[in-house]
Amino acid sequence: MTGLWFTLLTLGVFFAMEGVAWWTHRYIMHGPLGWGWHRDHHEPHDKAFEVNDLYGVVGAVVGTGLFIVAWLTGLWWVRAIALGVTLYGIVYAFVHDGLVHQRWPFHWMPRNGYARRLVQAHKLHHAVQTRDGAVSFGFVFAPDPHRLNAILKARRNERPSADLPSA
């Protein structure tokens, strides 16, 4: 094993984890099977912990399991995968829980730049408190908030108003 291959695989897994996280968030957390755990994350509350935090526990168990397999087998590439998964989890915890949801003791809200874009994109995701209709399912890579806002606005305009009399 060379350090270069280890580093490349670790970084590759880290970046691939955003795709895994997007898919999991869109189709599991917002799907019929996972919404039970994820629902309280979309509802206002003042609890320190959410049922949704169990997803982080599952991620930590997967990362730890991969490190155990790497230790038992001595396979460098399993260790690189474990490290990529774990690094993504750490970045997720700081960006999503710390920056976006302000769940850490420090509070900092960026005024501009990419960190601000992350916050805006995730706030737009939370503009929808139901399982369906949300936008921006990624955690670390954020789409343009103006585009997301336009999508939400178009979806609101597509729904027939409950106030209008039916013909």
Side-chain angles (χ1 to χ4, degrees):
M1 168 197 57
T2 67
L4 176 63
W5 286 113
F6 183 88
T7 302
L8 289 174
L9 182 56
T10 299
L11 290 174
V13 169
F14 173 84
F15 287 110
M17 282 301 298
E18 179 69 359
V20 171
W22 184 97
W23 190 91
T24 302
H25 190 190
R26 172 65 184 92
Y27 294 106
I28 305 250
M29 294 178 181
H30 279 258
L33 296 176
W35 183 246
W37 280 11
H38 192 58
R39 177 188 294 121
D40 73 335
H41 184 62
H42 280 264
E43 297 170 346
H45 62 78
D46 59 357
K47 301 180 293 185
F49 294 101
E50 305 169 347
V51 177
N52 183 70
D53 293 333
L54 291 172
Y55 284 113
V57 172
V58 170
V61 167
V62 169
T64 302
L66 285 166
F67 276 116
I68 291 169
V69 169
W71 176 64
L72 291 172
T73 63
L75 296 171
W76 68 268
W77 55 272
V78 177
R79 192 170 353 113
I81 292 170
L83 185 57
V85 169
T86 302
L87 289 174
Y88 184 85
I90 291 167
V91 169
Y92 164 83
F94 279 99
V95 170
H96 179 262
D97 290 346
L99 176 65
V100 174
H101 291 291
Q102 302 288 308
R103 290 179 71 188
W104 297 106
F106 59 88
H107 296 283
W108 171 69
M109 188 56 63
R111 294 177 194 255
N112 53 36
Y114 192 74
R116 178 71 177 173
R117 181 175 168 146
L118 281 169
V119 172
Q120 289 174 321
H122 201 74
K123 295 291 184 189
L124 288 168
H125 173 77
H126 281 271
V128 177
Q129 293 184 347
T130 60
R131 202 183 100 194
D132 300 314
V135 294
S136 187
F137 293 93
F139 291 110
V140 179
F141 302 107
D144 177 26
H146 297 294
R147 195 180 114 247
L148 296 174
N149 202 20
I151 292 168
L152 285 171
K153 189 180 228 180
R155 287 181 183 168
R156 276 193 302 269
N157 291 337
E158 288 172 4
R159 289 189 211 136
S161 175
D163 299 332
L164 297 176
S166 36

